[in-house]
């Protein structure tokens, strides 16, 4: 297994639409295992393949504290969502350190395939429903900050770009053997 590089907003690759998985093989199993390891290491509760620059419809989720309920959703689709909505403070591994309220349906029914290609359906509410919808947005090329106002989105983008420039400068100084 390997820790994968997580793309950071506003990387344009986060806006690519993921293609359906056609082949359920060892490569897919390795991708799911690597994604799970990456998600746990980050640490997070969900990760979409888009976030690790693999543009296939694959997400992994585990909302438990003890990391005991990993679920892979391959080619997920929402069959039903409730009319009642809830606002959840969402965060994202691709938008580190940023949390904000997003309104989504409070319950969903999802159909997907497991890593072996077996279909399953799942009714979800609460945090699991939010996480499923959040990760499925990634497969459509959408990041949660796009639900926020343009002003908030631009502030977040500017902040993350500034942090990235600082990290790059720090790495350059280290490579030159300088202290910062």
């Amino acid at each position: 297994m390997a820790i994968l590089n997580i793309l950071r907003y506003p990387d344009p690759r986060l806006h690519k639409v993921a293609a359906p998985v056609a082949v359920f093989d060892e490569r897919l199993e390795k991708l799911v295992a690597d994604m799970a390891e990456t998600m746990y290491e980050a640490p997070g509760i969900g990760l979409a393949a888009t976030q690790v620059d693999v543009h296939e419809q694959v997400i992994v989720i585990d909302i438990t504290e003890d990391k005991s309920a990993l679920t892979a959703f391959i080619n997920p689709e929402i069959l039903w969502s409730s009319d009642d909505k809830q606002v959840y403070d969402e965060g994202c591994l691709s938008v580190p350190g940023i949390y904000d309220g997003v309104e989504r349906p409070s319950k969903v029914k999802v159909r997907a395939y497991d890593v072996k290609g077996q279909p399953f359906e799942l009714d979800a509410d609460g945090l699991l429903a939010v996480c499923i919808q959040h990760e499925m947005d990634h497969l459509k090329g959408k990041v949660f900050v796009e639900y926020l106002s343009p002003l908030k989105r631009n502030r977040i983008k500017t902040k993350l770009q500034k942090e990235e420039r600082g990290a790059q400068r720090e790495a350059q100084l280290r490579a030159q053997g300088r202290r910062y």
Side-chain angles (χ1 to χ4, degrees):
M1 294 195 299
I3 302 293
L4 305 171
N5 182 49
I6 298 173
L7 300 177
R8 287 178 53 131
Y9 180 80
D11 191 309
R13 294 172 290 179
L14 289 168
H15 298 293
K16 283 186 172 180
V17 176
V21 171
V23 179
F24 293 78
D25 59 6
E26 285 137 20
R27 183 201 61 84
L28 179 63
E29 289 179 23
K30 181 177 181 345
L31 173 63
V32 167
D34 289 348
M35 286 175 60
E37 184 176 2
T38 302
M39 175 187 71
Y40 289 135
E41 179 71 21
I45 61 171
L47 186 67
T50 301
Q51 293 175 271
V52 294
D53 203 20
V54 176
H55 302 283
E56 297 179 63
Q57 293 180 9
V58 179
I59 60 178
V60 293
I61 294 175
D62 186 347
I63 62 169
T64 63
E65 290 287 327
D66 64 355
K67 304 174 183 174
S68 63
L70 178 68
T71 305
F73 297 79
I74 315 298
N75 300 338
E77 61 179 307
I78 293 178
L79 301 174
W80 172 87
S81 58
S82 64
D83 291 332
D84 57 307
K85 310 274 187 201
Q86 66 182 4
V87 175
Y88 237 89
D89 256 359
E90 294 187 25
C92 181
L93 297 176
S94 291
V95 192
I98 305 296
Y99 299 87
D100 212 319
V102 175
E103 184 179 66
R104 298 184 186 273
S106 60
K107 297 176 184 173
V108 295
K109 181 180 192 96
V110 64
R111 177 174 44 217
Y113 295 89
D114 67 17
V115 75
K116 299 289 188 187
Q118 297 301 308
F120 67 93
E121 290 184 4
L122 177 73
D123 293 311
D125 61 7
L127 181 58
L128 181 57
V130 169
C131 192
I132 288 169
Q133 293 171 83
H134 176 109
E135 299 308 332
M136 286 182 68
D137 274 352
H138 280 297
L139 301 181
K140 298 172 195 157
K142 188 168 186 174
V143 180
F144 92 96
V145 296
E146 293 171 45
Y147 287 100
L148 308 178
S149 72
L151 178 63
K152 278 187 179 181
R153 195 169 45 249
N154 285 332
R155 284 183 177 164
I156 290 166
K157 184 177 183 178
T158 300
K159 178 181 190 258
L160 293 176
Q161 287 173 327
K162 185 177 179 182
E163 287 175 5
E164 183 66 24
R165 285 191 303 271
Q168 288 174 353
R169 180 69 182 138
E170 187 178 306
Q172 287 173 342
L173 291 174
R174 277 195 194 137
Q176 296 170 358
R178 294 185 187 166
R179 295 199 175 259
Y180 46 95

